[in-house]
Amino acid sequence: MSEGTRQAVALEERLARVALNALAEPGDPRLARLAAALGAVEVHDRLLHDVDLAGLRSETAARLADLHPERILEVAARQDIRFLVPGDPEWPVQVADLDHVEPLNRLAGTPLGLWVKGPADLAQVCARSVAVVGSRSATTYGARVAGDLAAHAVGEGVTVVSGAAFGIDQAAHRGALGGGGSTVAVLACGVDRAYPTAHRSLLEHIAGHGAVVSELRPGCSPTRVRFLSRNRIIAALTRGTVVVEAAVRSGALNTASWAQRLNRVLMGVPGPVTSAPSEGVHELVRSGAALLVTRGEHVLEAVSPAGSQLVETPREPERERDRLPLEDTRVLEAVPLFTPAPVASLARTSGTSVRQSREALTRLAASGWVVQEGLGWRRAPGSLEPGMRDPGGSGA
Amino acid sequence: MGCATARAVTLDGLRGHVIDVQADVGDGMVATTLVGRPDSSINEARDRCRSAVMNSDYTWPNTKRVTVLLSPADLPKRGPHFDLAIAAAVLAAAGDVLKPEHLHGVVLVGELTLDGRVRAVPGVLPMILAARGHGLTLALVPDSQVDEAAMVDGITVVGVRSLAQVVARLSGKEVPDAEPVAPLSTARVLTWRGDSRTDDLDLADVHGMLDARYALEVAAAGGHHLMLSGPKGAGKTTLAERIPGILPDLGVEEALELSAVHSLSGDLRPGQGLDRRPPFRAPHHSATKASMLGGGTGQVHPGEITRALHGVLFLDEFPLFNSDIIDALRQPLESGEVTIARGGEVATFPARTMMVLACNPCPCGDYHPDARQDRCVCVESRRRQYRSRMSAPVIDRIDIVRNVVPMRPHERRDPLSRPEPTSVVHERVVAARRRQAERYADTPWRINADVPGPTLSQRWPLEDAGAEMLDDHLCRNAISHRGATRVHRLAWTIADLRAMDRPGEHEVGLALLLRTGEPLPLASLEAVGR
């Protein structure tokens, strides 16, 4: 990042946040609250001077003295990793919403800072973004849908955020990359680590074109709890979360819960009703928590400002015949295809009066639907196509 | 004056039977008779042989009674290739230029012209195979077909150009020169594409389509039948044409069997040698039943299904094939053989081939599950009619069903997509085939698709958990008994691809998904390379 960005926040504040970030596990609500109330520098100083704050015990704090935030920043910078803090122009302000929600699994709170690797401006790319998450044990169906949704989203300038895991996550990232758009991976370990190892080239590619983000400082390895606190960042960064294939115990449902708490749009892609990998999603939709989406347009409509990107409800194209008045339709249906029938018989079949029938037939004849032969009427030769398609532009 | 026996071979399908051609020259009413169920072309041999013998400056016993017997009499015999044997038997019986003992251990194959030259005949390879099986040691064949006959080990093959050369060879005289024999003129059965078209196609060009790729690999590894369904342009042909590339080379016996088929249909090119690559046949849907399954006038010719022996028979636009053909495919799909019964004769051809069927979801081919891309104009009744053409019994015999969805632009542009090249998949398939060959070493079978169901469940059962899973599907009527056998075979192939000793629950689960056309779990495809 340029010097200009750095200068927006006092160095002291940044260093204090680096130290606190290195000290605490991500998603500790007490630290987030304290930092918000007192400022990071104050919290740092008090903890350093053995003051027990909100149960952050002094022995934990004692480790603060051994930390060298400057060194941490320096080492990170050598790996092209930057540390964003609130107040930076690149800071995604929407994550502050995390301060206003109930903890989930005792995790909550705005992160003290975010470690970022990659050329993308995090605030900018996440301003219009959607999370696409799902099961690691996904099927080829789910992977394809996730890729399609992601490719469609980036095509409209919406960034795709996910967790770089196996299954749906990687499909979403790759769909976004294949679609030529930007994508952000949020990790539960340091951004210098490749987890899972098999996704090293994927992560390298994202770090080269989009951004790899983590609340954990470089070098940290992933744990179960860290995955849960990572999920809250994914939900908070984006305007909505799409769940594609999540079994009943999938971690993707945790991200979904965060999205709900944060009042973000929660969306679910259905699978076959018999499919176990889609059961969790179906439950989200069934309980009314998630909006059912089946294609990119649906997702865009949900995450775009109200009234924009509206999806037209698909309907059959209107046919000539659909535009006929009800009475004419009735009579038309009574008219035989080949052998002409007299008006009286048509009136009887169609349940209209002779006068009404005659009027209707006159109108139908004028627009090319029927022809008169002798004393009877029959369908006009050109008004019937194979497959019962009605004539287009037949003078109506 | 006396009696002599020469040997020829008659073919029933691909199977050859050695025929004794016995000639007797003796006193009696002057005549030449042929007995022992000869067909009209053999009856004509009488006149051809007589002229050929006389025009070669030998003497035909014109003042004697000549009786030629073809035995055993219960086999129908047809074709002009008995000429050489008949002429030699008569000459040996007459005893002037040949002696009966000259014919011991010799098989003679070839047609004669009136001036005594030898003409090429179809089916030399299977005939020589039969002769070797009968213990004969020397084969005289038309000169242009020596290469073909020489593919068979354990029998000496000599090419001849004229009756004079035959006599000289047999009696140990100096062989006179003669005009070379013209190669067989062949009327090739319709071919949709050049035979070598599939050579330079590589799976590395197929992005995405993970489950279709896996389906191809499993089908190739175990020789299973495959159906690809999808809108036109989805890549069904693209996929099918890449199957020969991942199939292993044919074994010597298999290649010989295939060459025998080509020999019979007369399209074995001279000097071509033994072709070890598996065939890929893609007949057009307008093909007739005879060209598909075998038949034709006169000699029963092998059909496309037999010409695809040990390779791939690709039927694009499957529902558009004649419904007679579709129903007739049941037998070969199940038993790996095709039987053509005609009048008093029954010919059986091998039909062990991987059948790959491609179909559209509707007659116009534009139906697409994605509503935005659906440009189908078919009315529902036509769609239903189209689908009903694929008769349920045939579909039940298909092992793997895959829906093919067109490759998306983002899949092609995915910078991380590294589709495995054909060579890598080929290696895995070869390894899986090797495991099968070892397992079935003491049996007549080579690949999982060959093994009959009952034997499979007795000798090579599934692990308990897998068997329970399959039983459960059977109990719920979710699968037919035939289907269960096919799933069992598929599970073995999946296990073979993973170098496992016995298929378990996971393999059975995957096999069931493959069979029902449902999407596959990504995790099982890790090895496929993406």
Side-chain angles (χ1 to χ4, degrees):
Chain A
M1 263 296 100
S2 66
E3 280 306 303
T5 318
R6 287 280 159 85
Q7 279 158 10
V9 177
L11 183 62
E12 201 187 9
E13 167 86 2
R14 188 181 306 277
L15 291 176
R17 281 180 177 266
V18 170
L20 290 173
N21 168 267
L23 176 80
E25 273 297 306
D28 189 329
R30 296 166 302 178
L31 207 52
R33 235 181 348 257
L34 285 169
L38 305 172
V41 180
E42 179 68 23
V43 177
H44 180 257
D45 285 348
R46 290 209 199 168
L47 286 177
L48 201 55
H49 297 101
D50 250 8
V51 181
D52 198 356
L53 277 174
L56 285 167
R57 297 222 309 281
S58 40
E59 53 262 42
T60 316
R63 274 184 288 145
L64 264 185
D66 302 331
L67 284 169
H68 303 288
E70 292 96 338
R71 261 196 60 84
I72 297 176
L73 271 183
E74 209 181 283
V75 172
R78 252 183 267 140
Q79 302 176 75
D80 290 323
I81 298 168
R82 56 191 188 272
F83 186 64
L84 300 182
V85 297
D88 280 335
E90 204 193 331
W91 178 257
V93 288
Q94 62 269 38
V95 294
D97 293 351
L98 283 167
D99 282 335
H100 311 296
V101 297
E102 283 295 302
L104 183 62
N105 302 315
R106 296 211 210 141
L107 300 169
T110 309
L112 289 160
L114 289 171
W115 297 93
V116 183
K117 187 173 185 179
D121 181 310
L122 197 61
Q124 218 170 63
V125 293
C126 289
R128 287 190 72 205
S129 63
V130 64
V132 180
V133 297
S135 175
R136 266 170 298 183
S137 46
T139 69
T140 46
Y141 161 79
R144 207 185 69 235
V145 178
D148 287 354
L149 291 183
H152 190 97
V154 298
E156 298 291 325
V158 173
T159 303
V160 172
V161 179
S162 195
F166 286 124
I168 299 299
D169 284 16
Q170 59 94 20
H173 286 305
R174 287 173 58 176
L177 291 172
S182 65
T183 184
V184 173
V186 186
L187 306 186
C189 58
V191 295
D192 57 334
R193 302 272 302 247
Y195 185 90
T197 330
H199 285 173
R200 182 177 300 280
S201 56
L202 172 67
L203 284 165
E204 273 167 11
H205 203 91
I206 298 175
H209 294 81
V212 181
V213 176
S214 178
E215 202 180 348
L216 288 145
R217 71 177 163 122
C220 288
S221 47
T223 66
R224 219 190 104 67
V225 180
R226 285 173 179 177
F227 278 110
L228 296 178
S229 48
R230 181 275 308 263
N231 292 343
R232 89 186 197 288
I233 308 284
I234 293 184
L237 275 177
T238 52
R239 305 183 74 131
T241 295
V242 188
V243 187
V244 188
E245 284 199 332
V248 276
R249 288 184 53 80
S250 169
L253 296 181
N254 177 253
T255 315
S257 304
W258 277 113
Q260 264 182 294
R261 267 165 211 241
L262 288 159
N263 271 330
R264 306 289 203 257
V265 192
L266 179 59
M267 292 157 274
V269 175
V273 292
T274 47
S275 158
S278 285
E279 228 176 320
V281 185
H282 292 162
E283 190 52 36
L284 284 180
V285 175
R286 199 184 74 82
S287 64
L291 184 69
L292 187 132
V293 292
T294 59
R295 31 170 152 142
E297 287 95 332
H298 296 163
V299 175
L300 285 177
E301 186 189 59
V303 300
S304 300
S308 63
Q309 300 276 7
L310 293 183
V311 178
E312 271 186 48
T313 317
R315 20 184 323 199
E316 283 273 297
E318 198 181 38
R319 297 176 302 180
E320 282 297 317
R321 194 176 167 154
D322 299 335
R323 281 184 223 132
L324 292 175
L326 179 66
E327 203 164 274
D328 292 11
T329 310
R330 268 197 204 151
V331 175
L332 181 63
E333 271 162 17
V335 177
L337 296 185
F338 305 110
T339 323
V343 179
S345 129
L346 293 180
R348 208 169 34 246
T349 318
S350 62
T352 51
S353 73
V354 172
R355 192 175 56 84
Q356 282 171 322
S357 286
R358 192 169 290 124
E359 284 167 9
L361 286 168
T362 315
R363 283 193 297 272
L364 288 168
S367 49
W369 289 96
V370 296
V371 287
Q372 190 169 18
E373 267 187 27
L375 287 174
W377 295 83
R378 66 181 190 89
R379 291 291 296 264
S383 72
L384 273 173
E385 303 274 37
M388 298 300 284
R389 296 229 150 191
D390 291 318
S394 55
Chain B
M1 297 309 111
C3 187
T5 305
R7 261 60 169 237
V9 180
T10 190
L11 290 178
D12 118 48
L14 259 197
R15 232 180 343 215
H17 304 278
V18 172
I19 298 291
D20 286 347
V21 180
Q22 219 163 28
D24 175 75
V25 177
D27 296 332
M29 195 192 280
V30 173
T32 302
T33 50
L34 259 165
V35 293
R37 282 184 82 189
D39 83 331
S40 59
S41 62
I42 303 182
N43 261 320
E44 290 164 359
R46 206 168 25 179
D47 305 326
R48 281 198 301 270
C49 288
R50 190 167 162 273
S51 300
V53 164
M54 298 201 301
N55 288 328
S56 302
D57 293 333
Y58 302 126
T59 320
W60 184 264
N62 272 327
T63 56
K64 301 285 178 186
R65 182 176 183 88
V66 179
T67 310
V68 177
L69 167 71
L70 308 178
S71 65
D74 60 335
L75 287 172
K77 300 148 201 91
R78 65 166 76 243
H81 62 274
F82 288 93
D83 290 5
L84 270 191
I86 292 172
V90 170
L91 285 175
D96 294 334
V97 288
L98 280 178
K99 303 288 175 219
E101 55 272 24
H102 287 146
L103 301 176
H104 285 326
V106 182
V107 62
L108 296 120
V109 172
E111 179 186 341
L112 281 171
T113 60
L114 297 186
D115 57 358
R117 282 180 296 124
V118 173
R119 288 177 58 99
V121 292
V124 166
L125 178 53
M127 291 180 200
I128 303 305
L129 277 170
R132 178 187 66 177
H134 203 261
L136 301 179
T137 51
L138 176 64
L140 298 192
V141 301
D143 191 36
S144 67
Q145 290 173 298
V146 169
D147 287 343
E148 178 181 335
M151 290 178 193
V152 184
D153 294 330
I155 184 165
T156 311
V157 174
V158 172
V160 287
R161 296 175 174 182
S162 66
L163 183 61
Q165 283 195 342
V166 172
V167 169
R169 281 277 178 208
L170 291 175
S171 57
K173 304 237 171 62
E174 194 186 327
V175 178
D177 201 21
E179 257 180 76
V181 177
L184 213 54
S185 63
T186 57
R188 305 198 62 173
V189 185
L190 82 168
T191 308
W192 190 35
R193 303 164 184 283
D195 284 346
S196 56
R197 197 191 131 85
T198 57
D199 284 356
D200 46 4
L201 300 176
D202 201 298
L203 275 173
D205 307 325
V206 180
H207 294 263
M209 302 195 186
L210 292 180
D211 55 353
R213 289 176 65 107
Y214 185 65
L216 248 53
E217 184 172 333
V218 174
H224 305 288
H225 303 307
L226 169 68
M227 178 155 91
L228 300 169
S229 163
K232 69 183 177 199
K236 303 182 292 290
T237 308
T238 304
L239 288 164
E241 286 179 338
R242 281 161 174 75
I243 298 178
I246 59 175
L247 284 173
D249 280 348
L250 302 180
V252 177
E253 287 302 310
E254 291 169 317
L256 219 46
E257 207 181 349
L258 178 66
S259 295
V261 174
H262 286 296
S263 166
L264 200 58
S265 43
D267 54 2
L268 209 57
R269 284 179 288 276
Q272 172 183 314
L274 198 56
D275 192 358
R276 301 287 290 270
R277 285 309 300 156
F280 179 80
R281 307 292 302 181
H284 188 252
H285 57 74
S286 61
T288 62
K289 193 171 167 188
S291 74
M292 285 295 298
L293 298 157
T297 49
Q299 172 117 31
V300 184
H301 282 280
E304 287 291 308
I305 191 166
T306 299
R307 293 149 71 92
L309 188 63
H310 305 306
V312 178
L313 179 68
F314 177 47
L315 304 182
D316 202 1
E317 308 278 10
F318 180 63
L320 297 187
F321 275 82
N322 194 319
S323 55
D324 267 10
I325 296 178
I326 294 181
D327 275 325
L329 282 175
R330 286 190 215 178
Q331 186 216 356
L333 274 170
E334 191 67 28
S335 65
E337 279 185 345
V338 57
T339 305
I340 293 130
R342 210 171 47 175
E345 93 185 270
V346 176
T348 300
F349 290 108
R352 288 211 180 287
T353 178
M354 233 180 101
M355 218 165 307
V356 179
L357 313 180
C359 62
N360 291 319
C362 70
C364 77
D366 276 333
Y367 176 82
H368 198 289
D370 185 337
R372 281 164 302 176
Q373 295 177 43
D374 184 15
R375 286 181 298 272
C376 174
V377 294
C378 308
V379 286
E380 188 53 35
S381 58
R382 272 201 75 206
R383 245 183 247 166
R384 213 172 304 143
Q385 184 199 355
Y386 177 84
R387 272 186 233 126
S388 69
R389 294 180 59 93
M390 295 182 278
S391 77
V394 170
I395 299 305
D396 199 35
R397 286 162 167 86
I398 303 293
D399 301 285
I400 304 177
V401 177
R402 282 298 95 181
N403 292 312
V404 181
V405 191
M407 196 193 301
R408 307 288 211 274
H410 68 82
E411 284 175 325
R412 206 192 333 267
R413 286 197 287 263
D414 180 353
L416 294 150
S417 175
R418 301 264 182 286
E420 274 186 328
T422 290
S423 55
V424 177
V425 183
H426 174 85
E427 252 169 60
R428 275 200 303 270
V429 170
V430 169
R433 286 270 181 121
R434 203 177 300 126
R435 292 180 71 86
Q436 295 168 55
E438 282 165 16
R439 187 161 64 241
Y440 305 134
D442 58 339
T443 73
W445 311 299
R446 278 182 297 253
I447 49 176
N448 291 330
D450 295 345
V451 187
T455 320
L456 195 67
S457 30
Q458 273 163 32
R459 292 191 58 184
W460 297 285
L462 301 164
E463 266 179 17
D464 290 347
E468 272 165 35
M469 187 174 189
L470 200 51
D471 286 347
D472 183 49
H473 273 75
L474 263 174
C475 290
R476 285 192 286 119
N477 256 341
I479 189 171
S480 67
H481 274 275
R482 179 184 290 117
T485 301
R486 292 188 173 271
V487 168
H488 191 155
R489 291 192 190 121
L490 270 182
W492 264 108
T493 304
I494 294 166
D496 286 329
L497 279 169
R498 296 176 171 183
M500 290 172 59
D501 290 333
R502 173 103 69 92
E505 197 176 5
H506 192 92
E507 288 68 36
V508 173
L510 203 52
L512 280 166
L513 293 178
L514 277 172
R515 183 173 166 80
T516 50
E518 280 164 56
L520 306 177
L522 269 189
S524 352
L525 309 180
E526 289 300 325
V528 185
R530 22 230 204 81

